[in-house]
Amino acid sequence: GDGAGRIVHQRIERLEDGDEVAFVETLNAWQDKAGKTQMIERRRTGVRNLENGEWLLHIDTQFEAPPDAPVTLAPSAFGLLGVRMAKTIGVRDGGGTIRNSEGAVDEVACFRKPARWVDYSGPITPTASEGITLLDHPQNTHHPVPFHVRNDGWMGASLTFPGEIVIPPGQPLRLRYALYVHAGIPPLEALQKRWETFAGTEWVNFGKK
């Protein structure tokens, strides 16, 4: 809205386009309404092909404070990564279901509750179901974070809902998330195994080949 800050893309720092894995690293400036940069973000967005046409979207970020002052991320129910599901997948408008790593189902049980992952699955056609699982990496601050997930099709990991995060100069905040884009409605055990594999991956070391 009016008076809000902006995230301004600065440049592409690295690009790889492989058959199994592809990613782009970008440098972004988080600016206030006057155009002053308050924080630098390095972001890697990568895609990994899986079997049966499924795939993983990895999102790695590194937030850096300016050299002269810390940056404070205030408490919020909304995080840095949000997903809007198709209407047919939504619980309210379609035939979908929300499930999380703790065994909870739908908004009444999952809303703003800590979890390692949340899955939102449902019909995309009269005969086919698909879904997305949002995975929170165990090294992320406040893990397992509450998820702001609703029956209207919204799903997000609420990074600062448990409390503010201060980023001192020279001590970047690093985060890693993944979206598992899958066919059908996998059993909880399969989704947990997918999270466990993701949990064993390392943070991106930005700037290194």
Side-chain angles (χ1 to χ4, degrees):
D2 291 342
R6 299 191 305 156
I7 303 172
V8 182
H9 170 74
Q10 303 295 297
R11 63 180 178 268
I12 293 175
E13 298 207 306
R14 195 173 169 203
L15 181 66
E16 288 198 10
D17 185 12
D19 291 336
E20 295 299 317
V21 179
F23 68 82
V24 59
E25 281 185 19
T26 58
L27 183 70
N28 307 305
W30 287 51
Q31 299 180 346
D32 60 22
K33 60 184 179 181
K36 181 182 178 184
T37 296
Q38 300 290 331
M39 182 169 64
I40 289 293
E41 176 199 6
R42 302 179 192 276
R43 183 187 304 179
R44 179 189 286 197
T45 306
V47 175
R48 176 179 294 276
N49 288 325
L50 302 173
E51 60 279 357
N52 302 320
E54 297 183 338
W55 49 283
L56 277 172
L57 176 68
H58 284 115
I59 299 174
D60 292 274
T61 56
Q62 178 170 295
F63 294 97
E64 302 168 11
D68 56 340
V71 170
T72 299
L73 304 180
S76 172
F78 295 94
L80 299 167
L81 180 61
V83 184
R84 173 69 74 183
M85 307 302 295
K87 237 179 191 183
T88 58
I89 295 178
V91 175
R92 188 182 70 190
D93 299 317
T97 302
I98 303 165
R99 299 171 297 161
N100 73 11
S101 60
E102 311 313 296
V105 176
D106 291 346
E107 179 181 330
V108 66
C110 297
F111 182 65
R112 296 184 181 176
K113 296 297 176 58
R116 288 160 287 177
W117 52 262
V118 170
D119 181 74
Y120 215 132
S121 298
I124 56 165
T125 72
T127 58
S129 291
E130 294 184 355
I132 296 175
T133 314
L134 175 51
L135 310 171
D136 184 42
H137 198 278
Q139 288 179 274
N140 288 351
T141 302
H142 291 158
H143 176 86
V145 296
F147 280 74
H148 189 88
V149 58
R150 311 202 70 148
N151 289 344
D152 66 2
W154 176 262
M155 173 171 62
S158 304
L159 175 67
T160 61
F161 189 74
E164 69 177 26
I165 296 175
V166 177
I167 307 172
Q171 298 180 40
L173 171 67
R174 304 178 73 180
L175 301 165
R176 182 166 173 79
Y177 298 99
L179 297 176
Y180 170 43
V181 182
H182 59 74
I185 303 177
L188 295 179
E189 294 77 13
L191 296 176
Q192 176 62 19
K193 285 182 179 178
R194 184 66 64 185
W195 179 84
E196 289 171 359
T197 299
F198 171 67
T201 63
E202 295 295 324
W203 270 333
V204 164
N205 195 358
F206 285 96
K208 297 293 178 69
K209 300 300 182 185

